[in-house]
Amino acid sequence: MQEARLYERLEENRVRCALCAHRCVINEGQRGICHVRENRGGTLYTLVYGRLIAQHVDPVEKKPLYHFYPGSTAYSIATPGCNFRCRWCQNWEISQMPREQHLVLGRAVPPEEVVADARRAGSRRIAYTYTEPTIFFEYAYDTARIAHREGIHNTFVTNGYMTPEAVDTIDGYLDAATVDFKGSGDPDFYRSFCKVTNTGPIYQSLLEMKQKKIFIEITNLIVTGGGDSREAFLKLVRWIIDNLGSDVPLHILRFFPSYLYTSRPPPPVSFLEELWKISKSEGLKYVYLGNVPGHKYENTYCPRCNNLLIERFGFEVGSIRLKGRRCAFCDEEINVII
Ligand SMILES: [Zn+2]
């Protein structure tokens, strides 16, 4: 078992974890909110180091990353556990396994082997995804360091609920991140649907990532019945523009019923289109609809001349009309890494 990083020892053998923004104070013999970090005799251990519960070769578009090596693949991995409890979680069987079943299953795979498997699969990127990479940070960190030595990029798909210390530690090894908002960051929604009382740290980690020049894309899941406020949506869009810039890609994702939240239908596509138009009229340059395969708003259009630059269908990429990082039609610089 691996000792955890980022925690401090307190009196009476307690510890305070500094990995995610919950900053759990954990008594001896207990685990944190994530249920995968345990205090044994005043030392904090991670229970998920090298415990691979999922590994797949995915298109980067599935993360989603639309502006980071479009059309390439990401070797995608996860361990069990999460620091959130989203009522609609699509991956609840693995994300909530430690909490609900008191199990931490997974195949023992050391970081070196993850990187070797990614190479064998022909992937130049590793995505830490499906569950929350923050809670398997030590494993992700060691894997990311080896990956970089081999010229492989690292990308987190995260709820953003990490500490500045965590972002600072992975700095230099994390190349890109998809940061996932739920219900446009509405604090009431996070409280009642995700068991998260303070959304401030998500914005804080985005600012940290921007400062460290980690490539950012943002997703926002629109959830029927609480996570679909227009007001919260507009607030989020304005925050992105003011703090991260108008060229950060925003993915408006359509919720589908799952896990504990199956009583409400997905939001109408017409409503998502309305949110798309709001985002564009506010000034965001690259806005997408997600989980609506075949929709024209899966494509990338030039923010200046409106020509189609990257064609997509679901996670498939069609033609790419760029000259380097510029629009092939009007020469506008596009926020894309290819
Ligand atoms: Zn153009």
Side-chain angles (χ1 to χ4, degrees), residues 302 304-307 309 327 329-332:
C302 174
R304 188 166 162 208
C305 71
N306 277 323
N307 271 299
L309 300 183
C327 169
F329 302 92
C330 77
D331 212 37
E332 173 80 348

Side-chain angles (χ1 to χ4, degrees), residues 44-64:
L44 187 63
Y45 291 94
T46 162
L47 309 179
V48 289
Y49 191 95
R51 288 277 149 207
L52 219 52
I53 196 78
Q55 68 281 324
H56 300 285
V57 179
D58 286 336
V60 287
E61 283 73 21
K62 195 174 173 179
K63 304 299 106 194

Side-chain angles (χ1 to χ4, degrees), residues 12 32 66 68 96 104 107 126 129 154 166 208 243 247 253 269-270 291 303-304 325:
E12 296 168 355
Y66 277 17
F68 190 76
Q96 304 302 319
V104 181
R107 201 160 57 87
I126 296 175
T129 179
N154 298 295
E208 295 279 336
N243 294 278
D247 60 1
L253 303 184
V269 173
S270 58
N291 303 336
R304 188 166 162 208
R325 298 185 60 192

